[in-house]
Amino acid sequence: MSDGARIDRFLEMMAAERGASRNTLAAYARDLTQAAELMKATLGDAGLEDLRGLMASYRGLAASSAARKLSALRQFYAFLVDEGDRADNPTLDIARPSTRRPLPRILSHNHVDALFAAAEEEASGEHPPRAAVRMLLMLELLYGSGLRASELVSLPRRSVQASGEFVMIRGKGDKDRLVPLSQRSRRVMDRWLPHIASDSAWLFPSGKSHLSRIRLYQLLRELAARAGVDPMAVSPHVLRHAFATHLLEGGADLRALQMMLGHADIATTEIYTHVDSARLVELVNKRHPLAHMDAVRGR
């Protein structure tokens, strides 16, 4: 069987059995097709030395890119083993390129306060501009609920639950999750809904579709400039990071945060614990039984 046919079968399995998204399937297809082109032997029949030579050709790539390509190969060969096309998975003997997940950029509480102060002032009054109310609601949802930019702009109008306490999000991998709305967000939502048609498909309509991610970035950075915050330090993703970090600082449970952010792996959520080190040290010093023993002994 040709490599192309094997790759097609693998992609069909990933789509049907694992529900892989279109973007994930496209990435697997690119990585495996490229590997087949670089490999001297047939990809499906390659041995350990063939694959070591292939990974050596990836040395010029970022470690994260090489690791992604190895992950695609591992899953591909695991599929071939399951299908009985080969007896072993040679990638299991290849070390994963070491990667270091970059720490997220976050905004300070003062910067967040400045953004909200500017947005709330612009949306105040008896008849505030429609765009100002929209901007305030988008800010509330980005920082108050931790939505991704793509999730925010593509929110259907019907995603807002009847109770007003949750919003239904279609996230990565087309997975749905319920995200709680703060009381602040619900109040601004009530102010925004009269500005859009009752039969609108989108919560943030624009032209024949919804607001674009690029326009969202532009609006946020324009707001940051008016608020006296460096526009280059502000983006939807930075506000999502701030939501997670500040929630952890307030004592949020990591599992609950994982659900709200829509992370498939809690290891992705754990990156936010880096900013909480000071609170953890204080917790040990004040709450650990040994701290109470010291207090009793008068130390």
Side-chain angles (χ1 to χ4, degrees):
M1 184 182 297
S2 69
D3 281 337
R6 284 169 165 155
I7 292 172
D8 287 343
R9 285 173 52 209
F10 167 71
L11 296 176
E12 289 173 3
M13 180 277 294
M14 292 295 293
E17 297 183 17
R18 302 191 187 177
S21 68
R22 288 191 298 272
N23 288 341
T24 298
L25 294 173
Y28 281 137
R30 284 195 302 271
D31 288 341
L32 293 174
T33 300
Q34 181 190 53
E37 293 170 352
L38 294 173
M39 188 79 67
K40 293 180 180 179
T42 303
L43 181 63
D45 302 320
L48 179 58
E49 292 308 313
D50 296 317
L51 289 166
R52 282 178 174 161
L54 175 65
M55 293 307 296
S57 71
Y58 292 150
R59 284 176 183 163
L61 300 177
S64 58
S65 297
R68 189 197 70 236
K69 292 177 182 297
L70 178 58
S71 176
L73 288 166
R74 280 184 174 167
Q75 295 190 66
F76 175 65
Y77 286 115
F79 166 73
L80 295 183
V81 171
D82 289 342
E83 292 287 292
D85 281 359
R86 61 180 298 153
D88 66 321
N89 184 341
T91 60
L92 297 179
D93 292 319
I94 297 178
R96 185 179 186 274
S98 59
T99 59
R100 183 177 180 181
R101 188 186 294 273
L103 296 179
R105 289 187 298 137
I106 60 171
L107 292 172
S108 69
H109 288 279
N110 288 339
H111 285 154
V112 172
D113 289 344
L115 289 173
F116 272 97
E120 288 169 352
E121 181 179 357
E122 292 171 2
S124 63
E126 189 174 348
H127 301 290
R130 178 181 184 274
V133 179
R134 182 183 65 179
M135 184 72 257
L136 180 57
L137 178 58
M138 293 192 298
L139 189 62
E140 289 280 359
L141 293 174
L142 289 170
Y143 177 71
S145 297
L147 271 60
R148 299 178 177 94
S150 57
E151 294 171 346
L152 176 72
V153 296
S154 63
L155 273 176
R157 192 186 191 283
R158 65 177 183 278
S159 64
V160 182
Q161 301 296 295
S163 65
E165 295 181 347
F166 294 91
V167 61
M168 178 66 75
I169 304 298
R170 174 64 57 88
K172 284 187 176 181
D174 290 335
K175 295 180 179 177
D176 294 330
R177 72 183 191 278
L178 278 176
V179 174
L181 289 177
S182 67
Q183 291 181 351
R184 289 171 49 105
S185 297
R186 296 206 301 269
R187 288 196 294 268
V188 182
M189 184 77 73
D190 290 340
R191 295 173 58 192
W192 169 245
L193 290 176
H195 286 283
I196 58 177
S198 59
D199 60 350
S200 172
W202 310 106
L203 186 60
F204 300 110
S206 179
K208 295 181 179 179
S209 184
H210 55 70
L211 191 73
S212 70
R213 291 176 58 195
I214 293 176
R215 185 56 182 148
L216 173 62
Y217 273 78
Q218 293 172 340
L219 291 171
L220 270 178
R221 289 182 170 168
E222 290 168 5
L223 173 67
R226 297 193 299 272
V229 178
D230 179 9
M232 300 310 294
V234 179
S235 72
H237 214 58
V238 169
L239 284 166
R240 175 175 160 87
H241 289 323
F243 158 80
T245 302
H246 296 166
L247 210 56
L248 274 182
E249 287 177 353
D253 175 78
L254 200 62
R255 286 288 182 184
L257 183 59
Q258 177 192 7
M259 292 177 62
M260 285 187 281
L261 290 173
H263 288 160
D265 188 346
I266 198 168
T268 308
T269 316
E270 286 173 344
I271 192 172
Y272 294 105
T273 60
H274 78 285
V275 298
D276 218 17
S277 56
R279 191 179 70 86
L280 292 176
V281 170
E282 181 183 4
L283 187 65
V284 169
N285 288 333
K286 291 186 176 181
R287 303 291 180 85
H288 194 280
L290 289 176
H292 294 295
M293 289 172 63
D294 284 349
V296 170
R297 293 172 182 172
R299 293 181 184 177

